[in-house]
Amino acid sequence: MTRYRSFVALGDSFTEGMNDPAVHPAVDASGLPAEAGRFRGWADRVAERLAALDPEFRYANLAVRGKLIDQVVADQVPVAVEMRPDLVSFCAGGNDLLRPGSDPDRMAKKLAGAVRRLRDTGAEVLLFTGVDPRDTPLMRRARGTFAVFYLHVRSIADLYGCHLVDQWSMQGLRDWRAWSDDRLHMNAEGHRMVAAKVCEVLGVPCDDDWRFTWPPRENVDPRAKRREDVQWVRTHLGPWVLRRLRGRSSGDDLDPKRPDLKPFA
């Protein structure tokens, strides 16, 4: 059984934990839930397992929603290098791939350089492919670009001896019941499956199984489906496009939810 005494998670909204509600959200001085502490996510779930195995375990999560791969490399990787943890996870690039003109080859070079820096500290590195986007209208047309980048990720993991979590093969994540209403972020069940897969890849005991088969779905009235699609455009897609046009990100002015390498609590 593998034991890790410290873990630093890097990335964007996926690693921050959107949209997996925190069981015990952070509370600010006013007594209200703090914005940066609202989400749990796969990384926190894995940290819970690692902390149960070692009372000295420490954890930091530097991920911030909306970040591009260049931002993760520039802002988060140097911090992780200074922390010198046993394990570092790096998952970024999804926000880049959603933008017109994204270059998966350039992104892969940036990722490879970051992985080299992290591996040079002696840390084990955990990388991820994404979920196959063929069932997602917003991303389906860019499926080939996604696939090229994730092939690069697989190659980088092999070249530098990294652990790889292949979400492309996780059929349970292709069901909409694993995703939140915005259709871009997993819900609690999706994060649970990813955490179980991560534990398996790392050789960490876990009671959950990522090989989840959903029960058959009831037939959906096409008219109800169209109403849902219209509501999704108004509530989620429209604001997302507007932020892109304004050069804004959902993570602007947000700090990481766990910026320091501390005992998990």
Side-chain angles (χ1 to χ4, degrees):
M1 182 179 64
T2 305
R3 288 185 181 271
Y4 297 96
R5 302 196 69 184
S6 52
F7 170 34
V8 177
L10 313 179
D12 51 28
S13 58
F14 170 63
T15 302
E16 183 186 345
M18 295 177 70
N19 282 325
D20 179 9
V23 178
H24 300 292
V27 176
D28 62 21
S30 69
L32 298 175
E35 177 70 20
R38 291 188 308 165
F39 300 113
R40 187 183 183 192
W42 70 266
D44 284 15
R45 290 169 178 267
V46 171
E48 289 170 13
R49 294 298 310 144
L50 297 176
L53 298 172
D54 190 335
E56 301 296 325
F57 174 77
R58 296 173 300 147
Y59 170 55
N61 189 320
L62 307 181
V64 176
R65 67 195 75 170
K67 295 304 180 183
L68 303 173
I69 195 167
D70 286 355
Q71 295 172 311
V72 175
V73 171
D75 300 334
Q76 299 177 28
V77 169
V79 179
V81 169
E82 289 296 320
M83 290 178 172
R84 303 188 72 85
D86 296 337
L87 175 67
V88 181
S89 69
F90 188 115
C91 185
N95 293 311
D96 300 76
L97 293 168
L98 285 171
R99 300 187 176 208
S102 61
D103 184 346
D105 298 325
R106 189 202 68 81
M107 292 165 56
K109 289 181 180 179
K110 182 70 71 168
L111 173 62
V115 169
R116 281 196 300 270
R117 291 185 64 188
L118 294 168
R119 290 290 283 149
D120 284 346
T121 69
E124 294 189 26
V125 175
L126 180 70
L127 300 178
F128 294 76
T129 72
V131 179
D132 186 348
R134 68 180 180 181
D135 302 315
T136 308
L138 181 62
M139 296 183 279
R140 185 185 301 128
R141 293 183 180 181
R143 189 184 184 208
T145 304
F146 278 81
V148 169
F149 179 64
Y150 295 140
L151 282 173
H152 279 308
V153 173
R154 296 185 69 92
S155 298
I156 291 168
D158 186 47
L159 181 62
Y160 293 105
C162 304
H163 301 284
L164 179 69
V165 177
D166 183 11
Q167 296 184 94
W168 196 281
S169 67
M170 296 177 66
Q171 294 300 303
L173 293 180
R174 290 187 52 205
D175 192 293
W176 282 116
R177 285 170 285 187
W179 296 80
S180 59
D181 291 342
D182 67 8
R183 305 184 184 181
L184 288 173
H185 301 100
M186 295 176 190
N187 58 24
E189 186 59 31
H191 281 282
R192 183 200 65 77
M193 283 190 280
V194 172
K197 177 72 169 182
V198 170
C199 286
E200 180 180 282
V201 168
L202 295 177
V204 173
C206 180
D207 295 332
D208 287 329
D209 189 353
W210 63 268
R211 297 173 184 83
F212 182 76
T213 301
W214 292 92
R217 301 186 65 176
E218 297 180 0
N219 292 329
V220 178
D221 185 337
R223 291 172 297 180
K225 180 65 169 61
R226 285 194 293 272
R227 288 195 296 270
E228 290 178 1
D229 290 343
V230 170
Q231 183 62 34
W232 172 74
V233 169
R234 291 174 177 171
T235 306
H236 300 290
L237 180 61
W240 182 86
V241 172
L242 189 59
R243 285 197 301 271
R244 299 287 82 74
L245 294 175
R246 292 175 173 174
R248 298 283 297 170
S249 166
S250 57
D252 288 349
D253 304 320
L254 287 183
D255 296 322
K257 65 180 184 179
R258 293 177 178 269
D260 302 311
L261 192 59
K262 293 181 176 180
F264 182 81

